[in-house]
């Protein structure tokens, strides 16, 4: 499937988060949703972003925005790495990347290269508590974020350009509908 665009229907899914809770997009009727796709649970860029989402979660909740995150990792990997942050929202394990295909996710070695030549990003991640050499084996998935409105249409599809490129938090907070 190709990339999604504004006003496209958000592909429905039913999956389990890494804790075993069933997550179905249909259960979020009348909710605004931030759906964020990440690489693997060991990815330091992903864990930094996850930490940002956790910190901003009270504001998202106040604005009626539900957060669902997806990692191309097993439940065990998420539990051992990203799950250690104790996110107050769902973290779905999708090691076969079925949901990634549904939402038009891309893999790019060029995107990986663009990340690595950015010295500020690399220094930030190398000196963070999330740096993990195991992330090198992760697939070169480029992250994406989707703002899904109450009628389950894509309000914004944000496909990143490198491993650390996500929709700015401020854009999420300013989302009105």
């Amino acid at each position: 499937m190709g990339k999604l665009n504004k006003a496209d229907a958000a592909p429905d899914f039913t999956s389990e988060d890494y804790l075993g809770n069933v997550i179905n997009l249909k259960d979020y009727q009348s909710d605004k949703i931030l759906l964020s796709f990440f690489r693997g649970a060991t990815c330091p860029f992903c864990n930094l972003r996850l930490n940002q989402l956790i910190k901003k979660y009270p504001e998202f909740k106040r604005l009626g925005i539900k957060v669902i995150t997806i990692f191309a990792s097993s439940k065990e990997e998420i539990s051992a790495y990203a799950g250690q942050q104790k996110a107050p929202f769902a973290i779905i394990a999708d090691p076969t990347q079925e949901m990634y295909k549904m939402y038009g996710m891309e893999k790019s070695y060029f995107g990986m290269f663009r990340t690595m030549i950015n010295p500020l990003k690399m220094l930030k991640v190398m000196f963070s508590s999330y740096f993990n050499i195991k992330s090198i084996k992760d697939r070169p998935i480029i992250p994406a974020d989707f703002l899904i409105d109450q009628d389950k249409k894509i309000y914004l599809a944000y496909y990143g350009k490198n491993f650390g490129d996500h929709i700015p938090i401020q854009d999420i907070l300013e989302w009105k509908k």
Side-chain angles (χ1 to χ4, degrees):
M1 183 174 216
K3 287 185 175 183
L4 298 173
N5 297 294
K6 184 177 179 120
D8 286 348
D12 190 31
F13 60 83
T14 299
S15 190
E16 282 189 5
D17 69 10
Y18 81 103
L19 299 171
N21 302 306
V22 175
I23 307 297
N24 184 325
L25 192 62
K26 288 180 182 174
D27 292 340
Y28 290 81
Q29 291 301 330
S30 73
D31 291 320
K32 295 190 296 185
I33 301 166
L34 165 61
L35 182 65
S36 289
F37 286 83
F38 296 99
R39 291 178 60 227
T42 61
C43 171
F45 297 100
C46 304
N47 279 289
L48 279 171
R49 175 58 174 211
L50 186 66
N51 184 265
Q52 290 176 338
L53 294 177
I54 291 167
K55 286 180 179 174
K56 290 295 183 178
Y57 183 73
E59 290 180 67
F60 296 148
K61 187 174 179 179
R62 181 179 56 78
L63 294 169
I65 300 170
K66 306 288 182 167
V67 179
I68 303 171
T69 59
I70 304 164
F71 281 86
S73 297
S74 68
K75 290 179 181 183
E76 295 77 22
E77 289 173 310
I78 293 172
S79 187
Y81 298 100
Q84 295 297 309
Q85 295 192 57
K86 307 288 187 228
F89 45 78
I91 301 176
I92 296 174
D94 186 14
T96 62
Q97 300 173 46
E98 290 305 311
M99 292 174 63
Y100 288 74
K101 293 171 192 154
M102 290 170 44
Y103 278 81
M105 301 293 298
E106 297 181 329
K107 295 177 185 171
S108 170
Y109 286 101
F110 183 67
M112 178 176 70
F113 177 72
R114 287 204 313 215
T115 304
M116 296 189 159
I117 63 169
N118 184 324
L120 292 177
K121 277 189 178 185
M122 289 305 296
L123 284 172
K124 182 177 181 179
V125 84
M126 288 176 76
F127 290 103
S128 76
S129 60
Y130 304 114
F131 183 74
N132 190 327
I133 198 73
K134 291 180 182 181
S135 69
I136 291 172
K137 72 172 178 57
D138 287 339
R139 299 167 194 102
I141 297 167
I142 303 301
D145 298 302
F146 301 89
L147 297 180
I148 302 171
D149 62 26
Q150 293 93 326
D151 61 1
K152 300 304 163 259
K153 300 280 186 196
I154 303 292
Y155 176 79
L156 176 68
Y158 187 94
Y159 291 92
K161 294 175 182 51
N162 60 56
F163 289 174
D165 187 18
H166 287 272
I167 185 174
I169 296 285
Q170 194 58 39
D171 290 359
I172 301 165
L173 295 172
E174 292 174 358
W175 175 24
K176 295 178 177 73
K177 175 99 174 149

